[in-house]
Amino acid sequence: MPAAEQSLAGSWTIRISVMGNDAEQSCTFTQKDKELTGTCKGEQVDGAVSGAVESNKMKWQLKREGGPTLAFSGTIAADGKITGTVEVSEYSVTGEFTATKVK
């Protein structure tokens, strides 16, 4: 199935690296057409997800309770893995992330 036709609904493991700080979180996405919603939980992250999927590109924001908002922008590979950048605008820093669907 081409990446553009894959549903992102389900459980994902997200690995983030920002300024030498690595973190891992578990996210559950729900996808309706191009709209992406869900939740993420991890050691440093707990919050709601909202975003969109367009072809093989996706963007979403993670609104953290009591913390900065993380803005993700990624590309969905043919194997379903997502790679891209994460921005923490409150601190003017960016990093990288990878997302792998939990089987």
Side-chain angles (χ1 to χ4, degrees):
M1 180 183 319
E5 296 177 15
Q6 291 186 27
S7 172
L8 301 183
S11 298
W12 290 79
T13 299
I14 315 289
R15 290 183 176 85
I16 302 170
S17 180
V18 178
M19 296 185 64
N21 296 305
D22 295 335
E24 185 174 301
Q25 59 194 357
S26 295
C27 297
T28 301
F29 295 142
T30 302
Q31 183 178 344
K32 183 176 181 184
D33 298 320
K34 294 180 181 181
E35 181 185 11
L36 191 70
T37 57
T39 58
C40 290
K41 294 184 184 286
E43 287 181 29
Q44 302 173 16
V45 176
D46 192 358
V49 171
S50 63
V53 179
E54 182 78 39
S55 184
N56 71 332
K57 304 285 185 189
M58 68 177 303
K59 290 185 178 191
W60 83 90
Q61 289 191 337
L62 172 58
K63 298 186 186 304
R64 295 173 56 189
E65 294 182 25
T69 298
L70 305 179
F72 294 82
S73 179
T75 302
I76 307 160
D79 65 0
K81 188 174 181 179
I82 304 168
T83 57
T85 59
V86 57
E87 180 180 354
V88 188
S89 58
E90 288 90 339
Y91 299 125
S92 300
V93 296
T94 59
E96 297 178 345
F97 81 93
T98 59
T100 308
K101 196 164 191 175
V102 177
K103 302 207 186 287

